[in-house]
Amino acid sequence: MWEKQESTNLVLYHYWRSSASYRVRLGLALKGVPHQKRHINLLTQEEKSPQYVAVNPSGYLPALVSGTDRPMGESLAILEWLEEVFPEPSFFFGGPRERALVRQVAETINSGIQPLHNLDVLRAVTEDKEAQSAWTRRWIEKGLGVVEAIAREFGSRDGSFLFGAQPTLADLCLIPQMYTAKRFQLDLSPYPRCLLAYERAALDPVLSAEAPERYQPKDS
Ligand SMILES: N[C@@H](CCC(=O)N[C@@H](CS)C(=O)NCC(=O)O)C(=O)O
């Protein structure tokens, strides 16, 4: 599956409604980085196939292959790599304190929400679909509460993305998490700042073009 690429060709391995994949799709689009996409089917556990595990040893999506280098895994590591290699437009703003704030939101989602409801964890907690949904909602509500509190205290007042007119790494993590929250029918009214950033992203042609529906396979 992992084929060495000529020159610096980039290939993103993703699944249409994987929130971690969606983060990287948004990052690539925002920076306008040309790449190809390969869809890996989580429903058939293709991410656990030896071919894909050779790409990403975690057996999780996403992964990014750049040229002849070893593939990269972990969405935030990939986004930080993109930021270093393609600095403009930046995923950050301000100085060290602001950058830490952006990373604080990103990690609240990346470490504090998403890992608790990924498929592996859900299957280990229970096989009952209703109980899986309740478990997922519980952790999304807790984490979004944290993001909302940060946005209320330190966020932008200009009615757009979390920290201003431009999306940051925090928005790249928040937008997919809000999509998942909607999928699990969460009441989002307690999170107006998060909702504002999500709705703002839906109006942006570059970001909205990366929405999961755009990549939904016909047979799913
Ligand atoms: N921390 C990882 C999380 C990756 C992850 O959990 N990916 C999910 C999709 S969002 C996955 O591949 N799940 C498949 C499974 O649990 O078997 C990242 O940010 O890349």
Side-chain angles (χ1 to χ4, degrees), residues 18-21 23 42 47-48 59-62 73-76 110 114 118-120 123:
S18 137
S19 64
S21 302
R23 294 173 195 162
L42 293 193
E47 81 282 8
K48 306 294 188 222
Y60 289 147
L61 291 159
E74 287 296 329
S75 61
L76 287 203
N110 182 54
Q114 190 276 340
N118 90 356
L119 283 174
D120 262 354
R123 288 188 202 112

Side-chain angles (χ1 to χ4, degrees), residues 122-191:
L122 286 183
R123 288 188 202 112
V125 170
T126 172
E127 290 294 331
D128 181 280
K129 293 286 174 205
E130 273 307 305
Q132 285 184 347
S133 293
W135 170 271
T136 299
R137 283 196 292 270
R138 167 183 170 174
W139 297 111
I140 299 179
E141 279 168 2
K142 183 171 188 288
L144 285 185
V146 175
V147 176
E148 184 68 20
I150 295 170
R152 210 179 306 125
E153 184 155 4
F154 303 108
S156 158
R157 306 270 163 221
D158 71 359
S160 58
F161 294 103
L162 285 175
F163 295 111
Q166 302 304 322
T168 66
L169 186 71
D171 299 286
L172 299 189
C173 292
L174 178 69
I175 294 160
Q177 194 60 63
M178 292 292 281
Y179 170 83
T180 305
K182 277 177 162 294
R183 219 182 113 205
F184 283 90
Q185 295 165 345
L186 245 81
D187 171 16
L188 294 174
S189 61
Y191 320 105

